[in-house]
Amino acid sequence: MPSPQGLTRVAALLAGALVLSGCFAAAPGGGADDRLGVAMSFQPVANLSPHSDDALLLTKLGAAETLTVLDRDGTARPALAESWEQTDPLTLRLNLRAGVTFHDGTPLTAEHAAASLNRVVTATTPPRALKGVQLTAKAAGERTLEITTARPDPILPQRLTAPQLAVLAPAAYADPAAPNPVRAGTGPYVLDSVQGAAGATLNANPRYWGGAPKASGVDARFIADGASRANALRAGEVDVVDTVPVSQLPAVEGNEVLDVPLPRLVGAHLNTRSAVFADPAMRAAARQAIDPARIAEGVYAGQADPARGLFGPASPWATAAPLPPAPAAQPRGRIRIATYDERPELPEIASVVAEDLRNAGFEVTDVVVQEFSTMESDLLSGAYDVVIGARNYSVDTGDPIGYLRSDWTCDGGYNLSRLCDPAIDAAVEAAQPAPPEERERAAVRIAEQVLGTDAIVPIAHERSRIGVAPGVSGVAEDGFDRRLITVETSHGA
């Protein structure tokens, strides 16, 4: 007799097949074992609108695609656009892939791609990847797309990889204020229905340009609690969990855990304008006191890499020169430490850092832990002496210079250390017109300048831990955390 899980999956498949019968033939296989159960680590906040951070769910579940994608080292590679060239300093010409259709049966054309991009540009909240960029797209032929910018932009192909720039069918924008991605993407799986913040049902796209998917569908559940996600995998309720917290690794024993380095740095930001850490000697003393290796081994149970610099193992181009020993200075002063609780490891790290600083001779008066949204303004305004934070340094484009500008320049919008060094600002500005490879080399040099100020003590580079049930294969190991379920993901032979 089928299990309750099997009956649920069969019902979901049959329901999806009925809804999609006007567009597609039934997916091959069709049995409960052909479907994938997936637990996502965050819930949609805008009904999967592509003009929100929910767009990441669309790309990770295989429903929507962008013109380009990032490879492991952050280089833009073909996706819906099979090639491109910079025809002049302000114009990028892209050749779209032939034979692509949207999930509602509409063929992909340059006109449709241009309309989709232009709607993103004029959205109420444009994506971060386009911050400061004036972009216009137009068709220059049936499959030729031209994108122009107000000033030269050497990383435009990387910008186009942002999930919010996924290309959707014209029908998705029937209500411009609330784009609807249902049956509007181009990916291997058709988003058939969204059950609010609880889950979504997707079915295989047999006309996918990359070949028919190996699974007949995806039943996604949005589960914010890490323990609940782990329990769902352990109980066999799902096949893939997109994030397994370190604390839950024992709970998923017997399942495979894919360990993927992420471009994410956890660090102790020292407020360079506070009463204590305005003194470079006190910052150097704090750097000497904090032990990243102990934190990586203890708090992360060895499931993170001790940081040697701003950029970690997820960036093959990155190098980090060792810093000189901190000068002999007697630690002194009262300090307050703050962090946020959305990432479960950060409060524990804050406690360890507090202990290290106390042992060195600093007086730690408070360790404040709150939700990020409630304390963001205080973190950025310098209300604390030390901020323990996690930061994705690829930002939204894979470009390290964008991260350095936002986090380490005088006018940076996310400068937790409140560092203002004219030499660093000048180096970042000089790197702006450089092509990608030169930007990476410049980023390594600028990172050394930042570390030389002791404005941050790098602690760890995090990894993504993807839980996978026995027999399941083809899950994407994406260091940029934008892809998860692919055309190859399946229960195996």
Side-chain angles (χ1 to χ4, degrees):
M1 181 175 179
S3 67
Q5 176 192 357
L7 291 173
T8 299
R9 289 187 176 178
V10 171
L13 175 60
L14 292 175
L18 288 172
V19 172
L20 291 172
S21 60
C23 299
F24 300 108
D33 290 342
D34 292 321
R35 295 186 68 81
L36 296 164
V38 181
M40 307 301 293
S41 60
F42 70 94
Q43 296 174 315
V45 296
N47 203 34
L48 292 184
S49 168
H51 292 175
S52 72
D53 287 341
D54 290 0
L56 183 61
L57 292 169
L58 297 176
T59 59
K60 294 186 80 167
L61 291 172
E65 297 176 303
T66 48
L67 293 166
T68 57
V69 294
L70 293 175
D71 67 8
R72 183 174 180 269
D73 65 0
T75 301
R77 299 298 184 194
L80 291 180
E82 60 184 0
S83 64
W84 54 88
E85 63 176 331
Q86 195 80 39
T87 56
D88 64 54
L90 302 179
T91 306
L92 185 72
R93 176 173 292 172
L94 303 98
N95 300 308
L96 301 186
R97 197 175 294 276
V100 179
T101 59
F102 293 107
H103 293 157
D104 65 359
T106 305
L108 170 66
T109 66
E111 183 177 352
H112 294 149
S116 186
L117 290 178
N118 288 330
R119 288 189 181 278
V120 175
V121 172
T122 59
T124 303
T125 306
R128 292 181 299 269
L130 296 183
K131 185 176 181 180
V133 178
Q134 298 179 43
L135 178 153
T136 303
K138 69 175 183 179
E142 185 177 0
R143 292 194 296 113
T144 303
L145 176 68
E146 286 190 348
I147 301 177
T148 58
T149 52
R151 60 183 181 182
D153 185 4
I155 62 164
L156 183 56
Q158 283 95 321
R159 294 188 194 279
L160 297 176
T161 68
Q164 291 85 355
L165 298 180
V167 177
L168 299 183
Y173 306 101
D175 180 355
N180 183 1
V182 172
R183 293 185 289 281
T186 57
Y189 291 97
V190 180
L191 178 63
D192 177 57
S193 65
V194 181
Q195 296 88 49
T201 301
L202 302 93
N203 290 285
N205 173 11
R207 296 197 300 220
Y208 181 54
W209 59 266
K214 290 187 176 180
S216 61
V218 176
D219 299 310
R221 297 167 58 184
F222 306 128
I223 306 174
D225 181 70
S228 297
R229 290 196 304 278
N231 288 336
L233 181 62
R234 181 178 59 186
E237 297 172 1
V238 297
D239 302 300
V240 180
V241 170
D242 80 328
T243 303
V244 179
V246 170
S247 61
Q248 296 301 316
L249 289 175
V252 298
E253 188 175 355
N255 296 277
E256 183 180 10
V257 177
L258 304 178
D259 191 76
V260 185
L262 294 174
R264 182 177 295 141
L265 170 67
V266 177
H269 292 260
L270 308 182
N271 184 347
T272 59
R273 303 186 203 180
S274 75
V276 177
F277 292 124
D279 182 352
M282 291 301 99
R283 298 200 297 271
R287 186 242 299 176
Q288 191 76 3
I290 298 170
D291 185 354
R294 183 166 77 99
I295 293 173
E297 187 60 35
V299 175
Y300 286 99
Q303 299 296 312
D305 299 289
R308 295 181 296 112
L310 299 185
F311 307 118
S315 304
W317 46 265
T319 59
L323 290 173
Q330 179 59 45
R332 63 184 183 276
R334 296 159 56 91
I335 60 178
R336 303 178 71 211
I337 300 176
T339 192
Y340 40 93
D341 58 10
E342 281 83 352
R343 294 188 176 277
E345 293 83 12
L346 295 187
E348 189 174 351
I349 292 172
S351 296
V352 175
V353 168
E355 180 185 2
D356 286 346
L357 294 177
R358 286 191 182 105
N359 290 340
F362 291 101
E363 183 182 353
V364 179
T365 60
D366 293 295
V367 178
V368 179
V369 180
Q370 297 177 9
E371 291 183 1
F372 181 82
S373 60
T374 65
M375 65 189 320
E376 180 179 15
S377 61
D378 285 342
L379 298 180
L380 293 171
S381 66
Y384 304 98
D385 301 283
V386 182
V387 175
I388 309 298
R391 181 69 161 157
N392 185 326
Y393 61 73
S394 74
V395 194
D396 296 282
T397 63
D399 173 41
I401 297 299
Y403 155 73
L404 292 168
R405 183 169 194 166
S406 67
D407 288 39
W408 300 108
T409 62
C410 297
D411 296 326
Y414 200 76
N415 191 339
L416 293 176
S417 297
R418 307 186 77 209
L419 179 67
C420 185
D421 185 324
I424 292 174
D425 279 29
V428 170
E429 192 60 32
Q432 292 299 325
E437 289 187 3
E438 289 183 22
R439 296 169 83 88
E440 291 169 354
R441 291 192 289 269
V444 171
R445 296 192 297 270
I446 297 168
E448 292 179 358
Q449 290 179 267
V450 171
L451 293 173
T453 69
D454 283 321
I456 183 173
V457 181
I459 293 175
H461 291 290
E462 291 188 334
R463 304 175 193 166
S464 171
R465 291 167 297 277
I466 305 168
V468 181
V472 173
S473 62
V475 176
E477 299 182 47
D478 179 14
F480 293 96
D481 206 24
R482 295 174 175 183
R483 299 183 306 123
L484 182 68
I485 303 303
T486 74
V487 68
E488 297 293 329
T489 312
S490 71
H491 288 278

